[in-house]
Amino acid sequence: MSLAKYHDKVKENDTVILYLGYDNMHAIKIKKGSVFQTRYGALRHNDIIGTTYGSRVHCPKGYLYILYPTPELWTSNLPHRTQILYTTDISVVSFQLDLKPGAVVVESGTGSASLSHSIIRSILPDGHLYTFEFHKERAQKAEEEFKDHGLSDYVTVTHKDVCQFGFDLEDVADAVFLDLPVPWDAIPSAKKALKKQGGRICSFSPCIEQVQKSCACFAELGFEEISTKECLVRNFDVRTINLPNPEFFSRDKTKSQPQKKGSRFDRDDMDAYSEETAENSAQCDIVESSDTKENTTSEVLDTPAWDYIGRKTAANFSFKAGISLGRMPGHTGYLTFATLYPL
Amino acid sequence: MATSSEPMCVDERKTSNVTIKEGDQAILKKGKTVRIFQIRKKRDIWLDKIKFSLDGAVGHYYGSTFVVKNGQMHKVQKTFKEAEVLGPEKGTDNRDLHDLDSNQKLSREDIEKMKKEGAKGQEIIEQLIENSTTFKGKTEYAQEKWVKKKKQKHVAEFTVLKPNTRLMCQMYHEKSPAKILNIRMDTLAQILTYGNVHAFTNVAVVDTCSGLVVGAVLERLGGYGKVFHFHPGERPARPIVDNLNFPQEFLDNLYNFPFCEINSLKSEEGKSDDLIDNSHGDSVPSEGDSLSDTAVKQCTDSNTETNTGGESTESQDKDNTDPVARKRKAEMSTREANKILYSKRLSEAKELLLKRNIDCLIIASKFNPTPLVTTLIEYVAPSRPIVVYSQYKEAVMDAYAYLREIGCLVNYRVSETWLREYQILPMRTHPEIQMSAGGGYLLTATTIVKEQK
């Protein structure tokens, strides 16, 4: 199988992404006779082999979808051996390093190869990634994964501590990426690895002190356009919200109805409302509940044009909103980019 | 324990891409000022109130820095560092410093005189320092900041860069963000990554952002794979694709698809002939437009040659004596040829789209995305990403709601990214004082095999 090129049907030894629902996916390697246990029951690999990617597959208690592994889906589902870079940062790195087919990239450390997969995807078929990892088993695991994913032709994995011994590459790279605790130890060697005609470099560091030292090192070695950025992602949950209009009078106690809480925010069952696999999911629930609430006063009010962003009845104001709930990633790392110009 | 994979050799064509050539589109960068020009010998340009020709740049590497002297560019080594001009004297704080024009003894005329006499940038700055009554009282940090500012103002050094998506996005975002629908670089980065845009994929793009997204996609495809540019009107407006100066092989893979043809695509099932219909009237691309066909260009060129007194072809012998009639006849035959080619390309595009194996659908336009995505999703293969961009969250949410209703996608995500830049200096590290307020919103999702209901 290959992350390099899409193909239509699931084959043995493919890595596939099982999509069960919102935030519920698994990456599995297809092997004849194997069984994978899901919340919907057992999934036999034999049943998947030969199906078209994107198909729905049924299990005893439900169904799921078989998706083709893109580097993004792989990043969300790969086994972590280290903290990884997520797609938000990966996107910015790929863009800022001007990655494209034919680019030669040098990377250290490989880690769990999350970024590596993405780099390879962007530079194939005539580019190459030289990736360095000082942990022997991680280097081996990365190599196995590249092989499994049909990417071996585009990457060279080296087990080496580049901070101590350097990259041992000269005038080959269009771009260098460093994700190291002590990047300034590797920056001189990285400069040598870059092509004489110039190139781009990126250093990813969680701590500002590391960034300060790296920037000083870049400046000292003649890199230019040194720029540090950070990129965060904010997801929105799209839901219909009902805000009940307050009552400014007291109801007769015998006819009183308990005022239900306005939005669906307070459901404890966090999965249900965003469930993708069930066709008529919680979206329907919300609509239903608003219908029953409006039984008594269901006429839509005549709203002035400038006031229109939702539906208003005597009882409620209903609108579709994108909500960000709870927590969001507040920091992953600082991305420092620089350019090496030709002399 | 390196494995034995070897990289492909960098071929001649790629190496020659790194030197500045006549006819190239080149970016001139001075500090934050980024402008793009086409390099034409003996043609003067204006940049930062200075008039000069670009001849001096030709033959050097991209990334070289030049200084302008007497209207000509001269290559220089990198500019001097601020620290080099600072003397040992410095103050501790600004309690006694007053901000007055009279602090600087040199007048504007004095400085202009120095520049005319060919004084180097460093010399000018040193003179400014000498003639400043307050400089020595500033702190070291204040001195550095002051020198940096003076450099920006008085030192006319430009770096010549090869245009790429990153630089074009930066340029447009700073100067005319509305032309690219306010797509910020991190948003564009997400679009390309979530769309899994790479070699050998076929990408359908709805783009009304001056071709920024089409250009970015073409760059990531590297010539492998096809791009279908859906656009309003008869001809696409994509100046950024022109600026990116792609080789013809890349552009041969770019198909134009006007919105007005979408309905006929829907009713196309099976039919592929007879598309030379008159519904789009005078649809001939005029000279200034970007033509995506080698043949069309050659047609235009050969007819231009005929115009300027070359060999007469076809039935022009009769009108030998009348140059006006000859010209008109030549133009008409160009138009005819273009019309035929245009139809041919369009029918080719339709044929390809009808295979329903598009690998990625990207929508980044000023139009309501919902009808676009619900219509075009028909032609996307299963288990492929789609990305919808809008400056407005409501538009993205609407598309999301309709797509959920249709039920042809999973793994939905509505998101925005937030970008912050930092000033990193010893004892002066902090986020930049200003940051971008918004970069737009994205809907990403993955197609599935549509169940027969």
Side-chain angles (χ1 to χ4, degrees):
Chain A
M1 89 135 320
S2 182
L3 254 76
K5 255 189 197 169
Y6 286 113
H7 65 259
D8 283 341
K9 303 225 188 269
V10 180
K11 301 194 304 287
E12 190 178 14
N13 292 322
D14 276 3
T15 299
V16 309
I17 306 291
L18 303 177
Y19 181 88
L20 279 82
Y22 179 77
D23 239 3
N24 192 353
M25 289 190 271
H26 305 275
I28 59 167
K29 189 165 177 204
I30 303 294
K31 275 235 128 45
K32 277 209 183 94
S34 289
V35 174
F36 181 75
Q37 291 299 337
T38 77
R39 59 193 283 191
Y40 299 134
L43 176 71
R44 269 174 260 279
H45 287 213
N46 294 2
D47 291 345
I48 312 179
I49 295 176
T51 59
T52 307
Y53 277 102
S55 303
R56 182 191 287 192
V57 170
H58 287 266
C59 293
K61 287 178 277 174
Y63 56 81
L64 48 82
Y65 291 91
I66 311 291
L67 298 182
Y68 200 95
T70 61
E72 293 60 61
L73 289 173
W74 177 247
T75 287
S76 304
N77 295 289
L78 60 85
H80 287 210
R81 284 89 72 181
T82 60
Q83 173 60 289
I84 64 167
L85 244 71
Y86 289 93
T87 304
T88 309
D89 286 322
I90 291 175
S91 306
V92 175
V93 170
S94 306
F95 188 83
Q96 287 288 328
L97 291 182
D98 302 333
L99 297 192
K100 58 181 189 248
V104 176
V105 184
V106 169
E107 171 193 35
S108 187
T110 317
S112 308
S114 166
L115 173 65
S116 316
H117 275 80
S118 196
I119 292 176
I120 295 169
R121 173 267 310 270
S122 301
I123 63 177
L124 59 86
D126 21 27
H128 199 83
L129 171 68
Y130 294 94
T131 186
F132 295 80
E133 170 58 48
F134 69 177
H135 188 284
K136 188 150 185 246
E137 279 68 39
R138 287 203 291 262
Q140 273 168 348
K141 190 78 175 82
E143 229 182 308
E144 276 163 34
E145 278 176 357
F146 294 140
K147 185 146 178 263
D148 271 351
H149 300 155
L151 302 174
S152 299
D153 285 348
Y154 314 113
V155 58
T156 303
V157 182
T158 307
H159 171 226
K160 192 180 199 182
D161 177 358
V162 299
C163 290
Q164 246 202 332
F165 305 109
F167 294 100
D168 200 17
L169 292 168
E170 202 170 327
D171 193 20
V172 294
D174 296 292
V176 176
F177 178 82
L178 304 173
D179 180 0
L180 301 166
V182 189
W184 49 95
D185 280 353
I187 292 173
S189 178
K191 183 183 175 186
K192 261 215 197 99
L194 283 167
K195 285 181 180 162
K196 289 211 166 61
Q197 76 211 34
R200 294 276 286 168
I201 189 164
C202 173
S203 176
F204 174 86
S205 294
C207 304
I208 199 71
E209 298 87 351
Q210 294 167 307
V211 174
Q212 288 173 311
K213 279 182 119 150
S214 305
C215 286
C217 186
F218 282 137
E220 215 177 313
L221 290 174
F223 283 89
E224 296 186 55
E225 291 175 356
I226 304 167
S227 160
T228 302
K229 312 175 201 293
E230 72 174 332
C231 186
L232 298 178
V233 69
R234 188 169 174 223
N235 290 328
F236 297 100
D237 195 16
V238 183
R239 279 190 275 163
T240 305
I241 300 299
N242 290 304
L243 298 180
N245 288 319
E247 291 188 340
F248 295 136
F249 55 88
S250 71
R251 279 174 185 264
D252 189 37
K253 289 235 164 80
T254 54
K255 289 195 240 143
S256 77
Q257 286 178 21
Q259 280 287 350
K260 258 178 130 183
K261 286 239 174 86
S263 68
R264 306 284 290 182
F265 272 104
D266 330 298
R267 277 182 66 135
D268 293 321
D269 186 1
M270 293 303 278
D271 273 356
Y273 60 71
S274 318
E275 199 66 79
E276 302 292 345
T277 46
E279 235 94 340
N280 302 315
S281 64
Q283 282 285 66
C284 276
D285 288 348
I286 291 165
V287 172
E288 271 165 30
S289 73
S290 64
D291 280 342
T292 41
K293 242 198 299 237
E294 289 170 71
N295 260 336
T296 42
T297 42
S298 57
E299 78 284 5
V300 177
L301 295 177
D302 209 358
T303 46
W306 48 261
D307 200 20
Y308 180 72
I309 58 163
R311 200 166 60 120
K312 293 190 171 113
T313 67
N316 292 292
F317 173 30
S318 297
F319 53 89
K320 202 170 227 64
I323 310 163
S324 298
L325 292 175
R327 314 281 284 169
M328 67 178 261
H331 180 65
T332 49
Y334 300 103
L335 291 165
T336 303
F337 298 97
T339 310
L340 187 67
Y341 284 126
L343 292 156
Chain B
M1 36 150 275
T3 57
S4 57
S5 328
E6 288 300 336
M8 302 291 163
C9 293
V10 175
D11 64 44
E12 262 304 314
R13 183 167 65 92
K14 286 187 186 123
T15 325
S16 67
N17 269 348
V18 306
T19 43
I20 304 168
K21 293 185 301 296
E22 190 178 3
D24 275 358
Q25 299 271 349
I27 288 182
L28 264 67
K29 185 169 188 285
K30 180 182 178 241
K32 288 269 173 202
T33 310
V34 179
R35 290 279 304 280
I36 190 161
F37 298 97
Q38 185 166 33
I39 301 198
R40 278 194 263 240
K41 279 209 159 140
K42 297 200 178 67
R43 244 6 128 88
D44 279 344
I45 57 147
W46 279 92
L47 184 57
D48 251 20
K49 300 189 191 126
I50 308 172
K51 188 173 170 192
F52 58 99
S53 93
L54 298 167
D55 295 10
V58 176
H60 292 285
Y61 273 146
Y62 276 104
S64 302
T65 301
F66 300 84
V67 74
V68 174
K69 278 213 175 85
N70 302 323
Q72 294 297 325
M73 291 177 86
H74 300 273
K75 183 163 179 336
V76 289
Q77 281 307 322
K78 276 295 164 287
T79 188
F80 65 95
K81 296 231 181 6
E82 284 87 36
E84 289 172 44
V85 296
L86 300 188
E89 289 183 68
K90 48 184 107 120
T92 41
D93 55 45
N94 63 10
R95 69 183 77 199
D96 292 322
L97 294 178
H98 302 282
D99 192 11
L100 304 163
D101 282 347
S102 55
N103 288 342
Q104 176 58 246
K105 296 302 168 209
L106 289 181
S107 68
R108 197 198 286 196
E109 292 82 42
D110 293 331
I111 300 171
E112 289 307 312
K113 189 158 169 270
M114 277 194 279
K115 284 183 184 171
K116 273 204 173 66
E117 288 168 358
K120 279 212 292 260
Q122 187 161 346
E123 289 164 16
I124 297 176
I125 303 293
E126 282 166 351
Q127 282 299 309
L128 283 167
I129 292 174
E130 275 250 358
N131 285 281
S132 160
T133 55
T134 49
F135 189 82
K136 294 197 165 75
K138 291 182 195 278
T139 66
E140 187 182 346
Y141 295 160
Q143 288 179 348
E144 268 182 39
K145 195 170 175 181
W146 188 94
V147 171
K148 195 169 171 190
K149 204 168 149 200
K150 296 300 174 195
K151 255 171 73 175
Q152 258 291 94
K153 199 170 177 194
H154 295 295
V155 181
E157 276 181 13
F158 305 97
T159 308
V160 178
L161 300 170
K162 193 163 196 303
N164 60 30
T165 304
R166 171 176 55 93
L167 292 166
M168 295 309 299
C169 186
Q170 179 190 336
M171 197 171 93
Y172 270 76
H173 194 78
E174 267 166 42
K175 294 186 61 215
S176 5
K179 289 194 180 155
I180 54 167
L181 299 181
N182 281 294
I183 293 183
R184 202 175 53 210
M185 76 89 179
D186 53 303
T187 311
L188 181 56
Q190 308 298 317
I191 293 173
L192 295 169
T193 303
Y194 277 100
N196 195 18
V197 177
H198 66 284
F200 309 118
T201 53
N202 297 325
V203 185
V205 187
V206 180
D207 174 331
T208 63
C209 356
S210 309
L212 175 66
V213 180
V214 172
V217 168
L218 281 169
E219 194 177 271
R220 284 280 174 105
L221 292 187
Y224 305 97
K226 300 194 186 307
V227 182
F228 299 89
H229 179 192
F230 289 82
H231 60 88
E234 287 173 359
R235 300 188 284 280
R238 39 174 197 240
I240 296 181
V241 174
D242 295 335
N243 291 147
L244 289 169
N245 224 14
F246 291 114
Q248 191 55 44
E249 308 92 75
F250 285 33
L251 299 174
D252 288 344
N253 283 329
L254 173 60
Y255 290 87
N256 301 336
F257 207 100
F259 284 175
C260 57
E261 293 289 336
I262 291 180
N263 272 351
S264 77
L265 177 68
K266 289 208 281 195
S267 56
E268 255 314 296
E269 320 283 333
K271 283 190 289 164
S272 56
D273 324 290
D274 192 25
L275 288 157
I276 305 174
D277 77 321
N278 302 310
S279 64
H280 43 263
D282 188 24
S283 58
V284 175
S286 60
E287 252 184 274
D289 287 344
S290 65
L291 300 163
S292 55
D293 271 85
T294 321
V296 177
K297 255 205 133 171
Q298 286 172 356
C299 223
T300 324
D301 289 349
S302 68
N303 275 298
T304 319
E305 280 163 28
T306 317
N307 257 349
T308 52
E311 309 292 311
S312 321
T313 54
E314 296 165 12
S315 56
Q316 281 141 332
D317 283 348
K318 289 182 205 141
D319 305 300
N320 241 342
T321 45
D322 187 358
V324 176
R326 212 165 17 130
K327 184 173 180 180
R328 204 179 301 139
K329 236 194 166 82
E331 276 173 8
M332 269 172 64
S333 68
T334 312
R335 267 207 205 109
E336 275 310 308
N338 283 351
K339 223 176 187 166
I340 294 171
L341 223 33
Y342 177 90
S343 297
K344 193 161 159 280
R345 288 286 287 183
L346 186 60
S347 71
E348 235 178 273
K350 286 186 184 177
E351 220 182 289
L352 290 165
L353 286 164
L354 286 170
K355 290 197 177 143
R356 289 159 204 273
N357 61 3
I358 293 294
D359 296 310
C360 170
L361 172 62
I362 297 172
I363 310 223
S365 82
K366 61 185 184 191
F367 293 92
N368 179 12
T370 305
L372 284 163
V373 68
T374 51
T375 305
L376 296 177
I377 201 158
E378 280 289 315
Y379 309 103
V380 182
S383 190
R384 298 289 186 271
I386 65 143
V387 183
V388 177
Y389 166 81
S390 175
Q391 298 176 75
Y392 313 106
K393 197 164 90 185
E394 290 77 2
V396 165
M397 292 193 320
D398 189 66
Y400 166 84
Y402 272 84
L403 288 169
R404 277 206 64 159
E405 203 46 41
I406 297 176
C408 48
L409 297 163
V410 294
N411 195 23
Y412 293 89
R413 212 188 54 135
V414 174
S415 65
E416 68 168 340
T417 44
W418 184 87
L419 183 72
R420 201 179 203 190
E421 309 203 31
Y422 287 76
Q423 169 182 290
I424 309 286
L425 289 171
M427 295 305 289
R428 290 159 283 173
T429 297
H430 57 72
E432 294 282 358
I433 304 299
Q434 289 250 307
M435 65 182 270
S436 163
Y441 302 86
L442 290 180
L443 163 67
T444 59
T446 308
T447 57
I448 50 172
V449 172
K450 190 114 192 264
E451 298 291 315
Q452 305 302 329
K453 291 220 165 122

